[in-house]
Structures are given as structure tokens and as C-alpha cells.
């Protein structure tokens, strides 16, 4: 399902998207570009592909490489975007990792990696971006419905996403009114090969969905675009589930 966006509500804005070169991040970057934003596409490798896709569609983008678990590397990311474009208006913290391990078997290394990638890096990026964001800027964190409804073997992942939801609430009050901070919490997002990789997960989410299907990545991207733009100017400190109604019913 393609995005229905045809407006340019972010025209003239510069938007940084972390983890923009693949998966959901790619859809987020493309959605912001369609809305008129110049996209600073963060990646750990292979960032040229998403910038090529954006420019081929008539947008503007530049790739920025950084290892977000490295404090020195991530500290300079927001400033590097400002140096390149003379402004920064939107930050979408999307980069994450999701290993699966039963709690009794999870290693210290896995815990450290998940918390560093999914919580410490977005928190630090929020701090750093707040110092350089243009007035009226917006930060959007990509959380997960597992922040409220964790699945087995996802304890460390779910805990990191629950931390993001609290980060959104706390940062909104510390940074407002100059900066709005919100989040989006996807359910299971459709992708090619997902049913073959995790058939039981697809079946569970589909059965629990009020829409009788998984959510499409462009549906998540449209909500992120909304939270990044002026139409959501009265909204801050909230995390919006985009899960097709999965967590609203008893079936979950």
C-alpha cells in the first residue's frame, strides 16, 4: 500500500532519519522526502542506496555514516547535519536492533547492545539534537507496541522500547515549548519474506488485528510524517500505536 501523501508540509525542512538505509527506516526517509524535507539519511553502511532512491524521485538527500553505539560518533551526528545544511528541523530516531533470546539465556553482551542501540543512543541523540534544532523542531522516536505488550524472548528489546516511551514523555516537558517530542509504536510491520521467516508471528498478529492484516510500513511512515510536521503542532509527549488495532482488543 503506497503512501497517500501528496502535500509538501515539510518543504524547506531538514530531517535526520537514523537507520534510513533499509527496512522501516527507508520508508520513513522516503515519506519525509515526499513531504518536501531534505533528508539526512543516517546509516552504518550502504547509505548511498536510499539517497539515490530519494534523488531519483525528485527529492534531496545526503548520507551520514555513524556508529550510534559509539558516543564520539553519535555526538557529532546532529552537528554534522547542521554543518551540511545550515539547519535541522526534524529528527526521527529509528535505528534499532531486535535479537531474540529467552531471559534466562540472554547474555550480558546482548543486553548491553540492545540498550546501547535502542535506548542510550536515542536518548543521547535527543540531547544533542535539542541544542541545534530550529525553533519549533520535532523529534520522533520509533518505539514498539512491545513497550506495553512484550512477547516471549523479547524482554531486553521490550524493556528498551518501554524506556523510549518514557523518554518521549520526559523529554517533551524538558524541551518544550521549543521542541516537540513524540513517538510511534508499530505492531508487526509487513515486509517481503516475513511470513516465511516467522509464520506463527504473522498468524498471531493478523488474528489479533481489527483490520485482519499486518500494518504496512508506509502506514507507519505516514504517522511519523504527521508527527514531524505542523499538522501535529499541538501534540507532544505521546506515543501513537500503529498496529491495526492489535493491542486494543482482547485477542492480543
Amino acid at each position: 500500500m503506497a503512501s497517500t501523501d501528496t502535500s509538501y508540509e515539510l518543504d524547506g525542512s531538514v530531517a535526520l532519519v537514523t537507520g534510513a538505509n533499509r527496512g522501516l527506516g527507508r520508508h520513513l526517509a522516503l515519506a519525509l522526502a515526499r513531504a518536501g524535507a531534505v533528508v539526512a539519511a543516517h546509516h552504518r553502511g550502504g547509505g548511498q542506496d536510499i539517497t539515490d532512491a530519494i534523488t531519483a524521485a525528485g527529492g534531496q538527500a545526503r548520507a551520514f555514516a555513524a556508529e550510534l553505539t559509539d558516543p564520539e560518533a553519535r555526538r557529532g551526528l546532529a552537528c554534522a547535519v547542521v554543518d551540511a545544511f545550515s539547519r535541522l528541523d526534524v529528527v526521527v530516531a529509528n535505528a534499532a536492533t531486535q535479537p531474540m533470546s529467552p531471559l534466562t539465556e540472554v547474555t550480558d553482551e546482548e543486553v548491553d547492545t540492545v540498550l546501547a542501540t535502542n535506548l542510550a543512543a536515542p536518548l543521547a541523540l535527543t540531547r544533542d539534537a535539542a541544542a541545534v534544532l530550529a525553533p519549533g523542531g520535532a523529534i520522533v522516536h520509533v518505539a514498539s507496541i512491545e513497550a506495553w505488550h512484550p512477547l516471549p524472548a523479547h524482554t531486553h528489546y521490550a524493556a528498551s522500547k518501554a524506556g523510549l516511551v518514557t523518554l518521549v514523555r520526559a523529554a517533551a516537558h524538558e524541551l518544550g515549548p521549543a521542541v516537540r517530542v513524540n513517538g510511534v509504536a508499530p505492531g508487526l510491520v509487513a515486509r517481503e519474506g516475513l511470513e516465511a521467516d516467522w509464520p506463527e508471528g504473522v498468524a498471531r498478529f493478523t488474528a489479533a488485528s481489527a483490520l485482519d492484516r499486518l500494518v504496512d510500513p508506509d502506514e507507519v511512515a505516514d504517522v511519523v510524517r504527521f508527527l514531524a510536521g505542523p499538522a501535529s503542532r499541538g501534540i507532544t509527549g505521546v506515543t501513537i500505536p500503529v498496529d491495526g488495532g492489535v493491542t486494543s482488543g482482547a485477542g492480543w
Side-chain angles (χ1 to χ4, degrees):
M1 182 183 300
S3 170
T4 58
D5 177 53
T6 58
S7 62
Y8 289 88
E9 69 264 37
L10 296 177
D11 198 22
S13 297
V14 175
L16 168 63
V17 181
T18 66
N21 58 319
R22 60 188 178 88
L24 178 60
R26 179 182 178 88
H27 289 264
L28 303 181
L30 287 167
L32 296 180
R34 283 193 296 266
V38 176
V39 176
H42 160 265
H43 65 97
R44 294 177 64 191
Q48 194 61 44
D49 181 59
I50 181 59
T51 57
D52 286 348
I54 290 173
T55 55
Q60 299 180 63
R62 184 181 299 184
F64 291 81
E67 174 51 69
L68 295 181
T69 59
D70 180 346
E72 290 299 323
R74 73 189 179 210
R75 186 173 295 120
L77 181 58
C79 289
V81 175
V82 174
D83 288 343
F85 299 114
S86 301
R87 64 183 297 123
L88 178 60
D89 302 274
V90 175
V91 174
V92 178
N94 162 74
T97 185
Q98 189 181 12
M100 294 178 62
S101 295
L103 180 58
T104 55
E105 299 175 14
V106 67
T107 65
D108 290 341
E109 182 180 11
E110 284 180 306
V111 171
D112 291 345
T113 298
V114 168
L115 294 180
T117 305
N118 296 3
L119 184 56
L123 190 156
L125 182 59
T126 299
R127 175 201 63 200
D128 297 341
V132 297
L133 273 167
I139 299 173
V140 183
H141 288 282
V142 179
S144 167
I145 61 171
E146 291 204 54
W148 303 285
H149 302 279
L151 290 171
H154 287 191
T155 297
H156 45 343
Y157 172 79
S160 70
K161 293 300 186 176
L164 272 188
V165 172
T166 299
L167 169 62
V168 164
R169 294 166 58 192
H173 285 272
E174 287 212 44
L175 302 181
V179 176
R180 294 184 301 109
V181 185
N182 289 296
V184 62
L188 187 60
V189 179
R191 63 169 173 80
E192 185 176 355
L194 178 60
E195 189 163 8
D197 293 342
W198 195 27
E200 64 275 17
V202 172
R204 178 177 182 176
F205 275 82
T206 300
S209 170
L211 300 180
D212 197 31
R213 61 175 175 82
L214 304 184
V215 292
D216 184 278
D218 285 326
E219 293 172 327
V220 180
D222 283 342
V223 177
V224 170
R225 186 210 67 224
F226 165 71
L227 291 173
S232 63
R233 60 193 177 276
I235 301 174
T236 193
V238 301
T239 299
I240 300 176
V242 185
D243 65 352
V246 165
T247 55
S248 67
W252 182 249

